[in-house]
Structure formats: C-alpha cells, structure tokens
Amino acid sequence: VALCEAEAAPPARSGPGVVEPHFNWKLFWQFLRPHLLVLGAAVVLALGAALVNVQIPLLLGQLVEIVAKYTRDHVGSFLTESRSLGTHLLILYGLQGLLTFGYLVLLSRVGERVAADMRRALFSNLLRQDIAFFDAKKTGQLVSRLTTDVQEFKSSFKLVISQGLRSCTQVAGCLVTLSMLSTRLTLLLMVATPALMGAGTLMGSALRKLSRQCQEQVARATAVADEALGNVRTVRAFAMEQREEELYGAELGGSRCKAEELGRGIALFQGLSSIAFNCMVLGTLCIGGSLVAGQQLTGGDLMSFLVASQTVQRSMANLSVLFGQVVRGLSAGTRVFEYMTLSPCIPLSGGHCIPREHLRGSITFHNVCFSYPCRPGFHVLRDFTLTLPPGKIVALVGQSGGGKTTVASLLERFYDPTAGMVTLDGQDLRTLDPSWLRGQVIGFISQEPVLFGTTIMENIRFGKLGASDEEVYAAAREANAHEFITSFPEGYNTVVGERGATLSGGQKQRLAIARALVKQPSVLILDEATSALDSESERLVQEALDRASAGRTVLVIAHRLSTVRGAHQIVVLAHGRVCEVGTHEELLKKGRLYSELIRRQALDAPPPETPR
Ligand code: ADP
Ligand code: MG
C-alpha cells in the first residue's frame, strides 16, 4: 500500500536525453558536516527503533504459545503467566514509539536546516551570476530550483535515513529471526518474495512514468492559468476570457484523463498486491501448518514467523519505493548544486576604488566591440569609440535596436566588451570594484523602471541603504516626486504594489530618479527615461532630469530627439559605430544622418514645441 501511495508522488522533471552533471557529494558533505552530531543521534535512534521492532515478533509468538496452551488445558492463571510477557511487550512498544519520535524530530531538524542552508547558498550564488546567465534562463526555472528541487532533495534525504535505515535493519534482523524459527519456511519465503517484488517494481516503474506524464500535463494547465491571471489586463483588453477558459479547460481535461488513468493503475496495483500479500500469509499458514502438524514447528513459532515475514515484506516494499525516491532526490540535488558551484565571469566586488575627492567622472569607450554572449555571431557594437567628458551631457541617439542600451549596459558592467575597453578616469572598468562602480558612481535610470512591492520610502532607499529620511526627502524633491508622494494619505509609507502597479508611469519614473539620485552618483545614465510618458509627465520628469544633470557626467539615451537639444554633444549611433558627433546646430548644418532623423520624426509627429 505504501508503495502505491509513494508512486503517486510528484516525480522529478528531468528532461529525457539531457546529460546532467553528476551529483556533487563533496558539496553535500559540506552542508551535512555541521549537523553530523544530530544526524548521528538520529541514526542511532532509528537503528534502535528497528532493533526493537525485530524483537516484537518473537515475543508475540511466545504470547500465542501461552494462549494456545490455555485453549488446550485450562489449568493455572493465564493472566499471571502472560503478565510479564505482556509488560515486556508494552515496554517494547513504548520504547519503539519513543525512539521513533526521537529520530523523526532530530531528522526533521537536520533536514530543515540543511534545506535552509542550501536555499540560502543557492539564492546567494544565483544573485551573483552574470547578467548573461539571466538572459539565457527563465526566472520560473531558477525559482523552482530554489523551491521544488530543494524540497524534493530534502524529503528524499529524510526518507533514506528514516525508512531506508529502518527497513534494511528490519529486513536483516527479521531474516535472522526467521531462519532461527524455521529454515525451510525461510527458504520458501526467500524465493517467493523477490519474485513478487520484481513484478511489483515493474508495475511501479510503469506507474511512475504515468505519474510523471500526469505531472507534466498539470504543469501545462498551470502555465495557462498563470499566464492568463498574470496578464489579466491584456486578456481583459482583448476580451479573450472565453478563449483562455477554453484553453485552460482543454489542458485540464487532458490532465484529468491522465490522472484517472493513473488512479486506475494504482487501484489495480493495490488490488493485486493485497491479493499477493494475503496469498503469502495463506501459503505460510498452510505450509507452516503442515510443519506444525508434523511437530517440526510450534504454533507460537509459526505466529512469530508470520509477523516477522510481514515485517520483512513491508520493509522490502518500502525499500523499493525508496529506490525511486533516491533517484529523484539525487537528480533534484544535482540541479540544486549545479547553480551553487557556478561562478560568474564578472565578480560582484573586488578591485580598487577611486576616492571620491579624486573622482572626475570622465568615461571613455576605446574601440569597443561587443556581441551578446547568447548571440555570439551578432555584433551589436563594432569599434565603438566615445568620450563622456566630466560634468558634461552627452546624448546618444540612433535607431531602435541600434545598441544604445547596450552601451549603457557596458558602462554598468553588466557585460564586458568582447574587444577594446571602457575606462573611468583612465582606469579600465575591469580593474575597478564593480559594486563600488554600480553602487556609488553610476546612477542608472531605465526606460521601464522596476519598483519593489514595498513602501515608497524603502524603494527610494534602495539606492543607498543607510540613507537618512532627510536624504530621501531631498532626493524626492530633486526628482519632482515629493509633491505627489505627500499628496497620498500614507505619504512616504504608501505601498506601491507589485512592481509599482499602483502608480502612474510618470510617478514611477520620478521615484526611480529619486532612487538613483539618493546615492549622489557622479555619472548619470538616462536610458530613454521619458519616452514612455505623456507630455505632462514628460515635462515634470524632464525638469527633474535637467536639475539632476547639473555638475554630473551624463549619458542621455534618447529616441525622441526633442529631448536632447540641450546636450553639450550629440552622438549618432548607426551600425554599431559612432557616425556623427556635434551639437544640435552643427549636426543640422552637416545635413546627414542626424538631420535625416530629425526630418523623419517631424513627419511622424509634430514636435511638442515648434520654433517660433
Ligand atoms: P537600443 O537600445 O538602441 O534600442 P539595444 O542595445 O537594446 O538597442 O539592442 C541592440 C541589439 O542587441 C538589438 O538587435 C537587440 O536585439 C540585441 N539585444 C539586446 N539585448 C540583448 C540581450 N540581452 N541578448 C541578446 N541580444 C540582445
Ligand atoms: Mg534601448
């Protein structure tokens, strides 16, 4: 019975045919080492419980012997004779219960602590991976390694210690008892049990496969629901509720069919196995009975034999379940450890910093070539050379998809250039401390700011952990955000909802600006910071940006050219190279790419402020 229930447990999602790395025993040992003492205690208690369990059949047999004696000749007091045996049995039962309680408590303590340590280590290592790593992976997969895989590994581990140890001891112990009781019966049992186990295992593996398919189908249905609920605005806007319902219904129907098939399989298995177990009992009784009749065995011994053989069979059934669980646990553990040992190319910290008083904030791209690691053949930047003079505003314009955001990513050191180098005050970025660079030098404001689902205060403070309330207010004022924040009933304690969903685009953007300004960056990158906004919010944001730009080295990336006229220098990016450099007037006079872009935008939409 236990076999079938475990078969229905969710299986591992290992892709077929994928060569997986091996399980990292060394790393596992490191997680286990701090808990060895407790684990050892758990093992001792589990062994104790198993050994006590082995004693029980013998005592039961003796008790039956006494009962049999009293059914034959009714002399003496049954109670007096059986009292000591009964007490002994009661003590053993109590002891067994106590030991079981003890080892399960200790084991769950070890299991939970190891799992928490593993999660912490995995999360911390995931967070320090390169941005390129995240380009190639789905967030859902990474999260499932943190949750499902660790969970699976933990439960396998606990099961191996509790069930595995116990079952092995019981099988061994009971086999000794059995052979002491009757060698002939034991030999018979040794032939019958493995045959049945074999049949059971075969059926079990078929059920496991079915259960895996069932799980995958459920996952498909969940994915449909997840996508529809997560993007409910889009679904609503296209009036697609009906279609999503049908889609979900279809997947659900599939998973129901599979689950029912699995249910029938399990039912068949349980039916057959109960017949098999009962036949074993009957067979033992018949053969044993003939031995008793031939006076080769006492009735009590037969009873002991029956109980012990049941223990053996139950334990072996447990072991076969355990085998499947171990396979799943190991592959889950492999997946967990895989990302725990991965080291990023760009470390989070290390390298030197330039003292604040010496920092000028001059940035140069020297003949930079770059292609994204996940698309190596595709050259985004070729021989790109650009200087951002300290305290000046440089605008980068060009076609969408031309590589403007890529330039900003290289400056943030999300990636390293394939060739060439980027320098800050003449020093290669690769020799500088990345966390200092990102945390204190560069303020990055992107087109789609992402806020965290906490208060406005905490969101702004994300820019600088130790910032005082005053610093936060100052940054918010500079970002034109103070006014709207204080107009909320909860003020700075307003919770912004998941990803800032309860704010308008312009408000989100101003909070993002405040978040970047609170760290007082020397270099500011504005990646199309206003292009998604309506003209009123654009004016407010632009005003904040103009104020924030004063005295800083600024790289403005813009798609809408009206926003870059005031820049000290405008750089036109095309085909991964710098094509034109100059001020707005100079470039217009040249009459090439820039003036062409201006003309096209003027045709697309009338500029917000026409020159009088
Ligand atoms: P822009 O900001 O000028 O619109 P991007 O720098 O975002 O352009 O993109 C430049 C090119 O690089 C595009 O062709 C885009 O498809 C590609 N690209 C952008 N981000 C990635 C990425 N993470 N991985 C692979 N290719 C990317
Ligand atoms: Mg871009």
Side-chain angles (χ1 to χ4, degrees):
V1 174
L3 180 65
C4 304
E5 279 164 4
E7 293 303 341
R13 295 153 290 95
S14 53
V18 180
V19 185
E20 286 197 351
H22 290 293
F23 183 79
N24 193 334
W25 288 102
K26 224 169 107 189
L27 200 55
F28 178 47
W29 173 247
Q30 280 173 12
F31 279 104
L32 213 51
R33 209 164 43 191
H35 308 288
L36 277 187
L37 213 63
V38 182
L39 187 65
V43 167
V44 169
L45 292 188
L47 280 177
L51 286 178
V52 169
N53 222 18
V54 170
Q55 315 243 311
I56 287 172
L58 281 176
L59 288 175
L60 278 180
Q62 289 172 19
L63 192 61
V64 168
E65 210 38 31
I66 298 172
V67 174
K69 191 177 130 211
Y70 278 90
T71 37
R72 278 196 309 272
D73 32 52
H74 305 266
V75 283
S77 159
F78 171 73
L79 279 184
T80 346
E81 206 167 325
S82 65
R83 183 175 299 139
S84 77
L85 208 55
T87 330
H88 197 164
L89 264 172
L90 267 182
I91 290 174
L92 281 189
Y93 286 152
L95 191 61
Q96 192 205 28
L98 210 64
L99 289 172
T100 308
F101 170 79
Y103 87 75
L104 282 181
V105 166
L106 291 183
L107 201 58
S108 92
R109 189 184 131 117
V110 175
E112 296 308 328
R113 290 183 183 205
V114 167
D117 290 348
M118 281 171 65
R119 287 203 167 106
R120 207 174 300 128
L122 178 60
F123 182 62
S124 122
N125 203 51
L126 279 177
L127 270 186
R128 63 189 62 236
Q129 291 307 307
D130 290 331
I131 298 290
F133 171 86
F134 293 97
D135 286 347
K137 301 283 186 291
K138 282 189 193 149
T139 325
Q141 280 178 349
L142 300 182
V143 171
S144 100
R145 294 205 185 203
L146 264 181
T147 52
T148 327
D149 284 339
V150 173
Q151 180 78 23
E152 177 104 16
F153 182 72
K154 180 188 74 188
S155 51
S156 305
F157 168 73
K158 280 163 70 174
L159 221 60
V160 165
I161 303 287
S162 62
Q163 303 276 331
L165 213 60
R166 193 173 170 162
S167 300
C168 285
T169 319
Q170 284 181 1
V171 167
C174 285
L175 279 180
V176 172
T177 313
L178 289 175
S179 52
M180 270 164 27
L181 289 169
S182 160
T183 331
R184 285 214 346 251
L185 269 181
T186 308
L187 284 178
L188 269 175
L189 196 73
M190 299 262 270
V191 176
T193 307
L196 280 178
M197 296 297 305
T201 308
L202 270 184
M203 239 180 129
S205 80
L207 284 178
R208 245 199 306 275
K209 195 170 147 209
L210 202 58
S211 142
R212 184 159 47 238
Q213 290 171 354
C214 196
Q215 212 61 33
E216 280 163 8
Q217 185 58 39
V218 169
R220 269 195 289 274
T222 311
V224 171
D226 189 45
E227 201 172 25
L229 293 178
N231 302 312
V232 71
R233 280 158 206 266
T234 312
V235 174
R236 184 71 46 88
F238 286 87
M240 278 298 183
E241 290 88 354
Q242 186 83 32
R243 195 192 78 111
E244 292 295 335
E245 267 170 42
E246 282 162 13
L247 225 61
Y248 183 64
E251 298 292 359
L252 206 58
S255 86
R256 180 186 53 84
C257 283
K258 277 269 178 276
E260 280 180 12
E261 201 180 321
L262 181 65
R264 280 195 295 274
I266 289 177
L268 184 67
F269 189 98
Q270 296 214 357
L272 286 180
S273 63
S274 96
I275 292 177
F277 274 113
N278 286 329
C279 284
M280 294 276 285
V281 174
L282 187 62
T284 313
L285 268 180
C286 287
I287 301 173
S290 69
L291 286 179
V292 172
Q295 304 229 310
Q296 287 169 296
L297 199 68
T298 66
D301 284 350
L302 182 57
M303 180 63 193
S304 299
F305 192 94
L306 260 184
V307 177
S309 69
Q310 286 290 299
T311 307
V312 170
Q313 282 162 10
R314 241 182 299 132
S315 302
M316 288 185 74
N318 270 339
L319 283 178
S320 93
V321 176
L322 210 61
F323 178 72
Q325 184 68 41
V326 167
V327 171
R328 289 201 293 268
L330 282 182
S331 77
T334 307
R335 282 193 297 272
V336 173
F337 288 142
E338 184 189 356
Y339 288 163
M340 228 185 260
T341 47
L342 210 63
S343 47
C345 298
I346 305 175
L348 282 194
S349 55
H352 66 272
C353 317
I354 303 172
R356 195 155 201 118
E357 60 273 20
H358 295 182
L359 185 68
R360 292 168 54 239
S362 154
I363 286 166
T364 310
F365 287 76
H366 296 274
N367 309 97
V368 168
C369 299
F370 182 72
S371 43
Y372 280 97
C374 63
R375 226 180 276 164
F378 179 71
H379 301 285
V380 180
L381 297 179
R382 317 160 194 250
D383 211 18
F384 177 81
T385 300
L386 173 70
T387 299
L388 308 181
K392 294 276 160 62
I393 302 176
V394 173
L396 189 62
V397 302
Q399 305 264 304
S400 171
K404 303 184 295 296
T405 300
T406 308
V407 171
S409 303
L410 289 176
L411 195 46
E412 275 271 28
R413 233 184 138 212
F414 288 162
Y415 309 91
D416 277 335
T418 324
M421 66 173 177
V422 186
T423 59
L424 170 66
D425 288 354
Q427 307 205 26
D428 192 337
L429 283 195
R430 279 171 289 203
T431 65
L432 297 174
D433 183 347
S435 63
W436 167 78
L437 181 78
R438 297 168 186 143
Q440 294 178 35
V441 180
I442 299 178
F444 182 47
I445 296 161
S446 70
Q447 178 173 359
E448 280 177 19
V450 172
L451 300 179
F452 293 89
T454 156
T455 60
I456 288 178
M457 192 65 146
E458 289 306 311
N459 263 298
I460 297 179
R461 208 171 261 152
F462 197 77
K464 180 178 164 191
L465 276 186
S468 67
D469 287 4
E470 293 313 317
E471 283 178 87
V472 170
Y473 298 150
R477 278 202 194 90
E478 204 179 346
N480 256 352
H482 184 74
E483 218 162 290
F484 86 79
I485 297 172
T486 44
S487 75
F488 291 154
E490 313 257 333
Y492 279 84
N493 292 324
T494 310
V495 175
V496 300
E498 200 182 7
R499 289 164 186 265
T502 60
L503 296 175
S504 81
Q507 290 171 338
K508 257 193 284 189
Q509 193 59 279
R510 280 177 277 161
L511 286 191
I513 294 170
R515 179 173 64 183
L517 290 182
V518 78
K519 63 177 159 184
Q520 299 283 350
S522 312
V523 180
L524 203 56
I525 307 174
L526 311 169
D527 187 0
E528 315 217 17
T530 59
S531 59
L533 305 179
D534 58 89
S535 51
E536 171 58 12
S537 345
E538 182 181 351
R539 192 186 58 78
L540 285 170
V541 171
Q542 193 60 50
E543 211 178 275
L545 289 179
D546 290 344
R547 204 178 313 147
S549 299
R552 295 198 161 103
T553 307
V554 182
L555 177 66
V556 188
I557 295 172
H559 178 70
R560 216 180 293 172
L561 300 178
S562 55
T563 54
V564 302
R565 274 179 206 176
H568 297 111
Q569 197 179 50
I570 295 174
V571 176
V572 183
L573 181 64
H575 311 293
R577 286 193 184 84
V578 174
C579 276
E580 286 181 327
V581 183
T583 60
H584 177 69
E585 282 75 26
E586 285 168 8
L587 290 179
L588 267 191
K589 225 177 282 165
K590 266 194 193 165
R592 283 167 46 199
L593 215 68
Y594 182 74
S595 58
E596 173 69 17
L597 284 172
I598 290 271
R599 203 163 34 243
R600 237 184 289 157
Q601 282 201 354
L603 284 181
D604 287 348
E609 20 176 357
T610 35
R612 267 165 277 177

